[in-house]
Amino acid sequence: MPIRQLSETMINQIAAGEVIERPASVVKELVENALDAGAARVEIVTAGGGLNLIRVTDDGLGIPEKELALAIARHCTSKLADNIHDIRSLGFRGEALPSIGSVARLSIRSRTASGDSAAEISIEGGRVSAVKPAAANRGTTVEVRDLFFATPARLKFMKGERAESSATSDVVKRIAIAFPAVRFTLAGSDRSTLELPATDDSPEGRLRRIAQVMGADFPDNAIAIDAEREGVRLTGHVSIPSFTRANALQQYAYVNGRPVRDRLIAGAIRGAFADVLPRDRYAVTVLFLTLDPAIVDVNVHPAKADVRFRDPGLVRGLIVGAVREALANAGIRAATTGAAGMMAAFRPGAASYAHPGPANGHRSYEAAYRASGFAGFDPARSPQRPLDMGFEDTGLANGGFGEDDQAAFDAGPLHSADTRAGLSEAAETLLGTALGAARAQVHENYIVAQTRDSLVIVDQHAAHERLVYEALKNALHSRAVPSQMLLLPEIVDLPEEDAERLALHSETLARFGLGIERFGPGAVAVRETPSMLGETDVQQLVRDLADEIADNDTVETLKERLDRIAATMACHGSVRSGRLLKPEEMNALLRQMEATPGSGTCNHGRPTYIELKLTDIERLFGRR
């Protein structure tokens, strides 16, 4: 077949395969166009998961009538000057509208602020109609019908309406977080309406928008981030370690206001939370990177979801350092969701009240205990038996107290008034601390403490495990890690560029106990390994380090391995469950927790304590 020039329609359909992957891609491109036009209100309507209809209406600047034909021509844009390295808008490639028009039925109706009327243009499967007059308010309405009708093979790869609608909602939410001053509405016959009222661009307004998208629980369980290094600024919020999700869908990242799904940023977030979260849980994050457009490349892929940084090590180090510092400075905090789960567990169910009693209308205590789940209750062994078990001759038979019992009841606790006053004065200062004063130990594992306005329950083993781990980690990284000399150097064959990267980081690796040196052009010789690792697969360790340096220009892999060993040592060297603690020991543990960063979770990511506010307790008893 001879070489020939492809038709414009064929070119656009090929481009559409990269730009328009599914209905959510169409919504993303059209909403970004609306925001670039200065819209303060964006309304999206869909039907059939977006395959039947997508309509995006905005109140932006609008498109002049004479430019409508250019708007649907390939590589025509108003957002890019002569410098491809200075991109300050969401869109810039000039591919979205012609790509959509090549695979669907597209119409654009627009009116500028100075225009007397609106104008409309349509394109159906690549065939463009003439511009004609129309009636519309200021702004632009883009309507897409029968998506992929011109490329029916693409329809076979679409998921169900529910899945496509969910993807569209996620796209709108991601964009909305970056533009809190814009009002977004997403509606249609195939979905419940999503309304995100406009707030403002202040930090408080941005947090209110985040709460609209991520739920009202997030602000109460979030830590603010604000850091800068070498002209790169990082702001946003991250969740406390005890507030997590089962997947990474609620990790939002933005580069100069652009929503991105970048592997480097995701890896940095994972690294920052590495020793405070379990492997199957994910932090909730909203992070904004602001930097010079010249040092970040957003033109990596037509979908513009990937970016490349000129200095990836700087960006990764900034994210990891800022998040870890914020977690350390936040003090000890428990997730509010823990109290909600505790409330649900305490809340009495209806089953015990509905249990049928004897025929005479009275319930025996045995039946009540069994209905409550105490199947092992034995009336014969009970030290206190109800009226039908032998209390007929006591004062309780009359439903009241005897004289001696009443006097003891009126006297209150066993301590004298002077003793009680002394105890209160001694504990008064502790009640004002974050974890309060220890009051009791339950089941030889849980410390019950009291603050001025809450009840705190601490898992003593999990808490002490975190304290020991942090002490081991500080000792580990405050000086060079002890190493063990290999009897025979291990030679690891690598690509020449990987060997060069490892040689450049040899001093850092030596601090962690790994001694390496170049061994010819394509190999390194390993002479020492960290003694903590014991017998380890040196070949695999070195290759993993080389891969990480190639991706992120860091050697975190070795550090993380040593930290995992320290975590295991801490687990086995901590206060065990079942050990009785004295009041002084319990209070000392609480004070250490308050002074230790990250002590809200153990090494495995489980919470070390749960706090229940006094107002919640009163609500359980019907006092509120």
Side-chain angles (χ1 to χ4, degrees):
M1 181 181 293
I3 298 175
R4 61 188 179 88
Q5 175 72 44
L6 295 176
S7 67
E8 190 68 22
T9 299
M10 183 72 71
I11 293 172
N12 287 334
Q13 288 179 344
I14 292 173
E18 294 182 310
V19 180
I20 309 303
E21 299 176 354
R22 60 193 306 185
S25 305
V26 176
V27 173
K28 172 183 177 294
E29 298 292 342
L30 297 183
V31 171
E32 287 181 350
N33 283 344
L35 294 171
D36 285 337
R41 187 189 74 253
V42 179
E43 299 176 357
I44 306 108
V45 177
T46 65
L51 293 171
N52 297 339
L53 169 69
I54 297 173
R55 183 188 302 120
V56 177
T57 304
D58 67 69
D59 60 350
L61 298 176
I63 305 173
E65 180 179 351
K66 62 181 181 181
E67 296 181 7
L68 275 176
L70 282 175
I72 59 173
R74 200 157 179 261
H75 300 316
C76 293
T77 181
S78 62
K79 307 169 187 178
L80 188 63
D82 296 330
N83 187 2
I84 188 65
H85 303 295
D86 189 24
I87 298 173
R88 300 181 183 272
S89 58
L90 296 175
F92 59 89
R93 296 174 64 97
E95 288 184 325
L97 291 177
S99 295
I100 296 170
S102 68
V103 296
R105 295 181 173 91
L106 171 71
S107 67
I108 304 174
R109 187 183 309 113
S110 188
R111 177 180 177 180
T112 62
S114 58
D116 296 331
S117 62
E120 182 177 2
I121 191 171
S122 300
I123 177 171
E124 182 175 328
R127 296 188 299 275
V128 182
S129 66
V131 178
K132 59 183 180 182
N137 296 324
R138 173 193 162 180
T140 303
T141 298
V142 181
E143 189 172 284
V144 180
R145 292 185 177 273
D146 302 328
L147 184 62
F148 299 126
F149 88 95
T151 53
R154 194 61 177 267
L155 287 173
K156 298 178 181 179
F157 296 94
M158 294 299 105
K159 298 181 180 179
E161 288 188 13
R162 185 183 297 274
E164 298 300 338
S165 296
S166 177
T168 299
S169 295
D170 182 64
V171 163
V172 174
K173 290 175 181 178
R174 284 184 179 274
I175 297 175
I177 288 177
F179 295 87
V182 178
R183 179 180 182 270
F184 291 86
T185 304
L186 175 61
S189 59
D190 57 344
R191 66 171 66 252
S192 57
T193 301
L194 170 68
E195 291 192 19
L196 302 175
T199 58
D200 55 71
D201 284 322
S202 67
E204 295 77 13
R206 191 179 293 276
L207 188 57
R208 288 197 298 273
R209 169 55 60 84
I210 293 172
Q212 291 173 4
V213 172
M214 305 178 70
D217 285 341
F218 180 71
D220 296 331
N221 295 282
I223 304 169
I225 302 290
D226 193 346
E228 187 170 356
R229 184 185 299 175
E230 299 181 25
V232 181
R233 189 179 181 195
L234 177 70
T235 58
H237 292 80
V238 299
S239 63
I240 59 178
S242 53
F243 186 85
T244 60
R245 292 290 183 267
N247 55 48
L249 292 179
Q250 287 201 332
Q251 290 185 352
Y252 298 92
Y254 302 85
V255 176
N256 290 341
R258 179 189 306 280
V260 298
R261 294 181 182 270
D262 187 72
R263 188 174 62 174
L264 171 70
I265 297 175
I269 294 172
R270 189 166 56 251
F273 284 90
D275 60 351
V276 295
L277 293 184
R279 292 184 177 276
D280 59 342
R281 303 297 295 181
Y282 296 84
V284 182
T285 62
V286 181
L287 295 178
F288 300 89
L289 279 167
T290 306
L291 66 166
D292 186 346
I295 61 176
V296 58
D297 184 6
V298 299
N299 191 27
V300 177
H301 188 274
K304 303 183 291 293
D306 297 324
V307 294
R308 293 292 182 271
F309 299 99
R310 180 179 296 177
D311 189 348
L314 169 64
V315 174
R316 190 183 193 281
L318 174 62
I319 295 173
V320 173
V323 171
R324 287 183 176 175
E325 182 180 2
L327 292 175
N329 295 337
I332 186 165
R333 288 173 59 183
T336 58
T337 51
M342 196 172 178
M343 288 277 289
F346 272 128
R347 187 168 292 114
S352 61
Y353 296 100
H355 188 80
N360 60 7
H362 296 285
R363 294 185 62 191
S364 71
Y365 272 56
E366 180 180 5
Y369 268 77
R370 293 190 187 281
S372 301
F374 289 88
F377 175 75
D378 185 356
R381 296 199 305 266
S382 176
Q384 293 180 336
R385 307 181 70 192
L387 296 181
D388 58 352
M389 297 183 187
F391 276 174
E392 292 85 351
D393 297 331
T394 67
L396 292 177
N398 298 321
F401 289 102
E403 293 182 4
D404 294 340
D405 296 326
Q406 187 67 49
F409 181 81
D410 293 338
L414 298 178
H415 296 296
S416 67
D418 293 339
T419 305
R420 292 198 304 273
L423 290 174
S424 298
E425 291 174 3
E428 185 66 24
T429 55
L430 295 182
L431 294 180
T433 59
L435 296 180
R439 294 304 193 197
Q441 184 185 26
V442 182
H443 292 294
E444 291 77 44
N445 189 54
Y446 300 101
I447 298 171
V448 180
Q450 174 189 347
T451 69
R452 295 191 193 280
D453 63 349
S454 64
L455 173 75
V456 177
I457 301 177
V458 178
D459 183 334
Q460 69 185 37
H461 172 67
H464 196 246
E465 183 179 352
R466 166 60 67 175
L467 300 180
V468 174
Y469 172 54
E470 291 296 330
L472 282 172
K473 195 168 62 170
N474 289 337
L476 186 65
H477 301 309
S478 61
R479 59 182 184 273
V481 175
S483 61
Q484 60 183 2
M485 182 77 71
L486 299 180
L487 292 176
L488 294 175
E490 184 96 22
I491 308 301
V492 183
D493 293 319
L494 295 164
E496 187 171 350
E497 58 271 18
D498 284 346
E500 181 65 27
R501 294 189 190 102
L502 286 167
L504 291 174
H505 287 78
S506 59
E507 291 186 8
T508 304
L509 293 171
R511 285 197 303 108
F512 291 112
L514 185 67
I516 65 171
E517 59 186 41
R518 289 296 296 269
F519 191 80
V524 296
V526 180
R527 300 188 180 277
E528 295 176 326
T529 60
S531 56
M532 289 178 63
L533 291 181
E535 294 185 10
T536 186
D537 187 343
V538 176
Q539 298 273 344
Q540 188 61 47
L541 173 62
V542 171
R543 289 192 173 91
D544 288 347
L545 286 169
D547 290 342
E548 184 185 8
I549 294 172
D551 285 342
N552 305 318
D553 197 32
T554 65
V555 291
E556 290 292 311
T557 296
L558 183 57
K559 179 178 177 295
E560 289 172 1
R561 289 196 181 194
L562 295 174
D563 284 348
R564 283 200 293 270
I565 294 172
T568 303
M569 294 168 62
C571 184
H572 291 282
S574 303
V575 172
R576 310 305 299 175
S577 301
R579 175 180 166 184
L580 290 173
L581 299 180
K582 298 178 182 179
E584 296 82 5
E585 293 176 312
M586 290 188 284
N587 278 312
L589 182 64
L590 298 181
R591 303 291 79 78
Q592 281 185 279
M593 290 177 63
E594 292 167 348
T596 302
S599 60
T601 58
C602 74
N603 311 341
H604 312 293
R606 296 189 299 268
T608 57
Y609 76 98
I610 296 174
E611 183 177 18
L612 189 63
K613 292 295 184 182
L614 181 59
T615 52
D616 293 331
I617 299 174
E618 291 174 340
R619 194 175 295 115
L620 283 171
F621 286 96
R623 289 177 174 267
R624 284 181 175 266

